[in-house]
Amino acid sequence: MLMNKILMVVGAVAITFSVHAEDTLQFNDAWIPEAPPVVKVMAGYVKIKNLTATAIDINKVTSPDFEKVEMHLTIEKNGMSHMQKQDAVGIAANDEIIFQPGGLHLMLINAKHGMKRGDKITLNFSTNKNTFTVMAEIKEAVIEDHSHHHH
Amino acid sequence: MSPEPNKQSSATNPTVIIIAIGVTAMVLGALFWIYLKPHFMPSSSQGQAGIISEQSLPKEIAAVYIPKGRPLAGIRLTDHNKQPFTEERFKGKWSFLFFGFTHCPDVCPTTLLVMKAVWARLPDSARQAPEPQLLFVSVDPDRDTPEILKPYTTFYHPDFLGVTAEHKFLDILTTQVGALYGYEDGETENENKNDYTVNHSAQIVLIDPQGKFRAVFSPPLQVDEIVKTFTAIRKYHQGK
């Protein structure tokens, strides 16, 4: 929805990714929007590229910094916003999926400690064969001003 | 094909069947229209909802505008400073209402950021009295107490105001502005009563300084369009 037109500010790219023999995924621009300190849930966004010639499913995400991590899809139905939990998210061969505001996102539930801008949060993405560790930085989220770009 | 009704009286004549279907459809359509029309038209006291007419406001306006507006009544909310929020507090301000909940990690923060950007971009003419106010209406009063709503809402903008109410009062507001919300259970593995999600209307509602429901902005919500549309609506109201 909003997101075609919205870009959250992304500064430096925070990534580490493990290269394994079989499932090879590349994680880019992992970030977590800074949120009011009282919130119980935060969002996480990332781009994931499948560098292999076969489809790969991500079927679990965990973080040592949160009690639980779920994958959700925001959908709009009849003018209402819904969140749909995704048990697995597939990435086609040589394709990329993007977790981004208004679409697919990580739901980071119950932080185990205070979260502030600049903190690096560990996220573990598991496929059937491997687990990839990705560092996501907490950043201020702003809406891009694109008034100069069109009309 | 010219209409020649009795040339062939067989019921299997395709022309006859097509005409019969057409006539039946027209009759049914007319009956439906006659029967249902009163149900779709708002009563005159409620004003008339609809897209704005071309001569009144710019036609590229990015909202559904309600020409006569609908006065809101019986509003009994509590703001994040624990002060009562009644329809009196709509008076003398342009109020943007967004319905959400704080356990919403994606859509609600994004919408609040859109409104923060709108606030930053409003021209001076749109900030003067009656000045705009933004209400984040939590439709999750069981979890969103004023203690949570205040730091949550003001995180996005110090002037944004969180409001909520118990359901019977929340519903008095939502039904008058056509907003919807509903609950959906999360995973029940730990029987955690707090594990549920809230589906909610994604639109932004605009209330005019007379306390009348005046316009609806629907997703995709775009900063420029909200700024332009709001400015146009204000200007139109000042000119009246």
Side-chain angles (χ1 to χ4, degrees):
Chain A
M1 33 165 279
L2 303 167
M3 286 317 100
N4 301 337
K5 301 284 182 173
I6 290 173
L7 224 172
M8 298 291 169
V9 155
V10 178
V13 175
I15 20 155
T16 52
F17 69 93
S18 330
V19 179
H20 294 262
E22 298 170 75
D23 286 351
T24 305
L25 296 176
Q26 190 183 54
F27 294 80
N28 290 304
D29 304 337
W31 72 292
I32 295 169
E34 186 187 14
V38 288
V39 300
K40 296 282 195 294
V41 291
M42 294 174 82
Y45 303 113
V46 63
K47 294 173 184 165
I48 310 173
K49 245 183 211 163
N50 179 355
L51 302 177
T52 72
T54 42
I56 298 176
D57 280 353
I58 290 172
N59 43 37
K60 193 179 168 94
V61 187
T62 62
S63 169
D65 302 298
F66 288 88
E67 260 175 36
K68 191 160 68 161
V69 180
E70 295 177 356
M71 295 181 283
H72 282 258
L73 178 65
T74 295
I75 54 161
E76 243 182 70
K77 218 164 45 183
N78 304 323
M80 283 180 83
S81 287
H82 300 254
M83 284 204 304
Q84 281 184 344
K85 191 181 169 200
Q86 311 290 302
D87 291 326
V89 169
I91 315 171
N94 300 305
D95 202 0
E96 182 181 45
I97 55 163
I98 302 177
F99 284 70
Q100 60 187 334
L104 207 51
H105 58 275
L106 297 176
M107 190 164 162
L108 311 169
I109 302 164
N110 294 339
K112 293 182 181 170
H113 53 81
M115 297 281 160
K116 59 177 196 304
R117 198 186 299 183
D119 287 354
K120 308 274 199 303
I121 302 303
T122 303
L123 299 173
N124 299 309
F125 292 80
S126 298
T127 65
N128 284 332
K129 295 172 186 164
N130 306 114
T131 293
F132 299 83
T133 297
V134 177
M135 298 307 291
E137 187 179 336
I138 300 181
K139 294 176 182 175
E140 181 186 19
V142 295
I143 301 297
E144 187 197 35
D145 176 358
H146 58 100
S147 58
H148 308 296
H149 304 187
H150 42 160
H151 303 306
Chain B
M1 198 193 292
S2 57
E4 292 176 75
N6 282 329
K7 197 175 175 186
Q8 242 183 333
S9 60
S10 162
T12 55
N13 182 331
T15 312
V16 172
I17 292 171
I18 287 162
I19 290 169
I21 289 170
V23 169
T24 309
M26 280 191 284
V27 169
L28 281 175
L31 284 174
F32 264 93
W33 175 246
I34 290 160
Y35 176 71
L36 290 174
K37 192 181 167 194
H39 302 270
F40 284 141
M41 302 302 271
S43 70
S44 55
S45 65
Q46 285 201 308
Q48 215 176 343
I51 310 289
I52 48 119
S53 61
E54 284 182 35
Q55 65 267 38
S56 55
L57 280 162
K59 65 181 171 192
E60 65 272 15
I61 199 167
V64 173
Y65 179 81
I66 303 161
K68 288 181 182 164
R70 290 183 204 167
L72 301 182
I75 306 302
R76 298 286 176 273
L77 307 171
T78 303
D79 74 16
H80 68 213
N81 296 313
K82 301 182 186 171
Q83 298 303 306
F85 191 104
T86 67
E87 58 267 28
E88 285 308 308
R89 289 179 66 182
F90 288 130
K91 307 273 169 74
K93 290 185 176 178
W94 282 98
S95 308
F96 289 85
L97 273 59
F98 172 63
F99 298 85
F101 64 117
T102 71
H103 282 64
C104 160
D106 186 48
V107 171
C108 301
T110 304
T111 305
L112 287 164
L113 289 169
V114 166
M115 292 313 294
K116 180 186 181 181
V118 167
W119 248 236
R121 294 261 307 281
L122 283 179
D124 288 344
S125 63
R127 294 171 190 275
Q128 295 161 2
E131 72 260 36
Q133 65 177 347
L134 182 122
L135 303 185
F136 174 69
V137 185
S138 169
V139 291
D140 189 10
D142 297 339
R143 292 187 296 194
D144 292 342
T145 59
E147 288 78 8
I148 287 174
L149 265 183
K150 184 173 186 171
Y152 182 84
T153 312
T154 54
F155 173 87
Y156 293 98
H157 196 291
D159 294 340
F160 289 176
L161 186 68
V163 296
T164 192
E166 55 182 296
H167 293 284
K168 63 177 176 180
F169 295 122
L170 212 43
D171 292 346
I172 291 172
L173 171 65
T174 56
T175 53
Q176 289 182 79
V177 297
L180 298 168
Y181 68 96
Y183 301 98
E184 213 171 283
D185 282 338
E187 305 292 292
T188 46
E189 61 206 30
N190 53 4
E191 300 199 345
N192 183 351
K193 276 188 189 162
N194 274 334
D195 189 11
Y196 60 89
T197 183
V198 187
N199 301 324
H200 56 97
S201 287
Q203 74 261 43
I204 287 177
V205 162
L206 183 65
I207 313 292
D208 75 15
Q210 286 73 49
K212 291 179 185 168
F213 174 27
R214 190 51 82 165
V216 179
F217 298 87
S218 296
L221 300 168
Q222 314 239 346
V223 177
D224 323 355
E225 288 182 355
I226 296 174
V227 169
K228 260 194 278 184
T229 301
F230 174 57
T231 307
I233 290 175
R234 276 195 68 133
K235 208 169 159 188
Y236 172 68
H237 276 255
Q238 276 161 355
K240 279 205 302 187

